[in-house]
Amino acid sequence: MVGDQEAISAVLNRLRRAQGQLAGVISMIEQGRDCKDVVTQLAAVSRALDRAGFKIVATGLRECVTTEHPDGSETLDVAQLEKLFLALA
């Protein structure tokens, strides 16, 4: 992911937060914590990863799904865009 350092920093923070939450879920399972609590935390991890993915797509949209032609023009690859969004669904 190349580009806006602020956006990259935000994505990395989200991923680090999700990593910490996932470590917490693993610990909760090892401790035999209540299923409801584990599932609640697992859902939070999932949301954090989804948000990181959406942020990557939103900020990197141009570089991810455009094709630059020799004449300097660019075209948007709609099929690739759809594939990226569906991968996050």
Side-chain angles (χ1 to χ4, degrees):
M1 197 171 127
V2 178
D4 182 9
Q5 283 302 109
E6 189 175 319
I8 291 170
S9 179
V11 168
L12 289 173
N13 285 339
R14 288 174 194 255
L15 290 174
R16 287 186 184 106
R17 191 174 315 125
Q19 184 179 32
Q21 289 173 317
L22 183 57
V25 170
I26 292 168
S27 177
M28 291 172 74
I29 292 171
E30 291 172 343
Q31 295 169 7
R33 297 276 301 270
D34 184 60
C35 176
K36 180 182 171 189
D37 295 335
V38 172
V39 170
T40 299
Q41 286 304 309
L42 195 55
V45 172
S46 180
R47 282 191 305 273
L49 290 174
D50 287 345
R51 288 180 183 200
F54 289 131
K55 183 76 170 173
I56 289 169
V57 170
T59 59
L61 188 60
R62 183 174 202 83
E63 71 182 70
C64 288
V65 296
T66 56
T67 303
E68 189 172 332
H69 301 285
D71 66 0
S73 66
E74 293 181 340
T75 56
L76 179 66
D77 185 345
V78 177
Q80 183 66 25
L81 176 62
E82 182 179 340
K83 184 178 177 181
L84 285 172
F85 277 108
L86 289 175
L88 293 170

